[in-house]
Amino acid sequence: MPVYSHSQLSTYEQCPLKYKLSYRDRIKRESESVEAFLGNMVHDTLRKCYDDICFTRLNTLDQLLSCYENFWEQRWHDGVAIARADLTRDHFRTLGRRMIETYYRRYAPFDSDVTLGTEVRLSFSLDGDDRYRFSGYIDRLSCTPDGCHRIHDYKTSSHLPSQQEIDSDRQLGLYLIGVRKMWPDVRDIRLIWHYLAFDRELESTRSPEAIEALLEDTARLVDEIEACKSFEPRESALCGWCEFPDLCPMRKHFVTVAELPANDYLGEPGVALVNRFAELKEDSARLDAEIAQVREALINYAVRENVQIIRGSSRKVRVKIEKKLKFPGKNDEGREELDGIVKEAGKWMEVSLLDTSSLVKAVDAGRWERSLLNQVLQYGRLEEASTVSLSRLKEEN
Ligand code: SF4
């Protein structure tokens, strides 16, 4: 029975190819981003803080910071990658240190609730039939004196989400479902996010309707992943942090040319073709602009001189000026009313056509029932289409 975690689901949403390489092909990489490394060091330090409290040992801030420094030194390895050229290893180490300091000052002596466990494992069925399971680890589960259970999650990211974002956060929503399933007598459960870089605590909970909707949405996403065959790459700003650029058709060529000596770079066939293509495109853009100017001048000349054909040395130009009736386009103002008038008059079938690009989208999204899809697909055929588009390289590339 397939088991999914929050990071599997979000990796698939970020990029299906990255998901396949990580979780289906199980390709292991030595490298990890410095942000992930920092997150692990901070999580492990806070875990130690609460685990020690369970054994009635309250660490001082200095003790906790030296524990953090030890983790950092002992576990740092050559595969930790710093994607941002303007930041150093020390920048991230100090950042983590500051997170521990502010957290400690805010919560010491850590007695507002009782820790029931750190890294608490959850595993439960996402649907009634036990077709898929969800598993995850709660950073810290605690209980307040009035019996409220609190699911804590430490975040070291540099983005502080809005209340709306955390109210619809999938990860802790699923953890709440897991806690309810494991301990059905628990009544009040709060979700707490600690955004350590901002010294902010965000809180949310979930209504029974929200839980129902979350389970349905998650099961739907898992169905989509299970049915996925192509696992296409999805390029985004997060590609700079991906461990698989050498296996990805979107980034492989970057890796190939990055390894070339500077004097071989321009001779590499791909680089040479792109450079030539860019030159030609620039010329054609200049020519297009010039053609548009001359075209405008020809129209003005024809109007001014009241002629329709203008003679050149070996060619002639015909200028035809006519008025054509135009109706609002698909998304233009007035289109809905126009459609309504034609439909009401019973003339819709005379003037409407099947929108085949909308049909392709509906088939791709699998929105229709299988029998109808099969019927429609009998009339479709797969054609190979190529597009070649040119764009500027961004700074980080
Ligand atoms: S580099 Fe980007 S597109 Fe390629 S696999 Fe990684 S995340 Fe996906």
Side-chain angles (χ1 to χ4, degrees):
M1 178 201 320
V3 181
Y4 283 85
S5 65
H6 167 70
S7 74
Q8 275 173 290
L9 299 175
S10 53
T11 303
Y12 177 83
E13 286 171 324
Q14 181 205 326
C15 171
L17 176 61
K18 184 177 174 184
Y19 165 82
K20 176 177 176 287
L21 296 169
S22 296
Y23 297 106
R24 293 281 171 95
D25 303 344
R26 295 177 190 279
I27 296 174
K28 296 277 172 249
R29 288 285 152 102
E30 290 299 309
S31 61
E32 64 177 316
S33 70
V34 69
E35 289 84 357
F37 178 82
L38 162 71
N40 287 334
M41 297 311 102
V42 171
H43 273 75
D44 287 353
T45 308
L46 293 179
R47 183 182 185 184
K48 178 174 168 43
C49 170
Y50 284 102
D51 284 351
D52 284 354
I53 289 169
C54 284
F55 292 104
T56 63
R57 174 167 179 247
L58 176 63
N59 287 286
T60 62
L61 175 57
D62 284 344
Q63 284 169 327
L64 215 53
L65 288 173
S66 98
C67 164
Y68 167 78
E69 293 290 350
N70 283 342
F71 283 155
W72 185 281
E73 282 308 323
Q74 285 162 11
R75 299 186 194 170
W76 181 268
H77 57 96
D78 293 342
V80 181
I82 303 177
R84 286 188 51 178
D86 56 331
L87 299 178
T88 62
R89 173 184 188 266
D90 272 350
H91 165 90
F92 289 97
R93 188 170 67 182
T94 310
L95 190 62
R97 213 184 139 85
R98 207 177 307 139
M99 289 179 193
I100 304 285
E101 272 170 357
T102 49
Y103 187 89
Y104 193 97
R105 295 212 165 94
R106 184 180 182 122
Y107 295 105
F110 309 102
D111 55 2
S112 64
D113 55 12
V114 173
T115 298
L116 304 178
T118 56
E119 294 293 308
V120 178
R121 182 166 190 273
L122 297 169
S123 174
F124 60 90
S125 167
L126 274 174
D127 51 0
D129 308 336
D130 222 10
R131 281 182 308 145
Y132 313 128
R133 289 191 79 75
F134 177 83
S135 83
Y137 289 87
I138 298 176
D139 286 343
R140 186 169 78 94
L141 181 66
S142 72
C143 186
T144 59
D146 58 356
C148 172
H149 281 62
R150 305 168 94 201
I151 294 172
H152 300 264
D153 199 58
Y154 310 124
K155 297 288 186 199
T156 52
S157 89
S158 56
H159 164 70
L160 182 69
S162 63
Q163 185 66 39
Q164 198 184 4
E165 283 174 273
I166 64 154
D167 284 343
S168 56
D169 177 90
R170 181 178 54 217
Q171 181 185 14
L172 263 59
L174 287 170
Y175 289 179
L176 180 146
I177 295 169
V179 169
R180 270 208 205 295
K181 291 204 180 207
M182 286 170 81
W183 296 286
D185 59 320
V186 169
R187 279 173 297 111
D188 192 10
I189 305 177
R190 299 278 147 162
L191 308 176
I192 317 276
W193 290 259
H194 300 276
Y195 275 84
L196 303 168
F198 304 91
D199 190 19
R200 287 287 295 270
E201 182 183 300
L202 301 178
E203 185 176 326
S204 182
T205 189
R206 295 290 180 271
S207 65
E209 298 75 35
I211 290 174
E212 204 55 44
L214 177 59
L215 278 171
E216 272 173 28
D217 288 350
T218 310
R220 203 174 306 124
L221 177 60
V222 172
D223 280 338
E224 184 188 322
I225 300 174
E226 289 285 311
C228 184
K229 300 266 183 297
S230 55
F231 295 101
E232 294 293 333
R234 186 175 297 149
E235 207 180 13
S236 73
L238 298 173
C239 288
W241 284 265
C242 177
E243 311 94 293
F244 308 108
D246 54 324
L247 301 177
C248 169
M250 297 292 188
R251 310 295 287 188
K252 201 155 54 172
H253 191 243
F254 288 71
V255 178
T256 309
V257 297
E259 286 163 2
L260 289 177
N263 46 357
D264 288 353
Y265 179 80
L266 290 174
E268 199 275 341
V271 174
L273 280 170
V274 172
N275 289 349
R276 182 72 188 127
F277 190 55
E279 272 169 31
L280 292 172
K281 278 281 207 184
E282 266 166 34
D283 281 355
S284 84
R286 188 180 45 75
L287 280 174
D288 284 350
E290 219 172 300
I291 288 171
Q293 269 181 358
V294 176
R295 185 179 180 281
E296 190 68 30
L298 281 165
I299 293 169
N300 290 341
Y301 183 91
V303 171
R304 196 171 61 243
E305 302 300 327
N306 193 22
V307 293
Q308 287 194 17
I309 296 182
I310 307 168
R311 189 191 190 288
S313 308
S314 61
R315 314 266 180 101
K316 63 182 179 185
V317 165
R318 179 187 295 270
V319 179
K320 195 169 166 188
I321 300 168
E322 57 186 352
K323 289 202 173 9
K324 279 188 183 166
L325 183 61
K326 283 204 96 176
F327 290 111
K330 201 171 168 186
N331 300 314
D332 290 346
E333 204 185 323
R335 175 59 181 258
E336 250 181 45
E337 291 93 315
L338 178 62
D339 285 358
I341 292 168
V342 177
K343 279 179 190 163
E344 210 168 302
K347 303 291 183 194
W348 184 252
M349 295 308 287
E350 269 184 48
V351 292
S352 72
L353 274 179
L354 176 67
D355 178 351
T356 51
S357 21
S358 298
L359 180 59
V360 169
K361 279 186 200 150
V363 170
D364 279 348
R367 284 204 299 269
W368 296 352
E369 60 271 25
R370 182 47 49 200
S371 58
L372 176 58
L373 281 177
N374 288 343
Q375 266 181 297
V376 168
L377 280 169
Q378 285 175 18
Y379 297 90
R381 61 176 189 277
L382 283 178
E383 279 182 3
E384 199 167 273
S386 310
T387 53
V388 177
S389 48
L390 188 70
S391 61
R392 294 212 168 275
L393 283 174
K394 293 198 188 83
E395 276 302 303
E396 70 271 22
N397 295 326

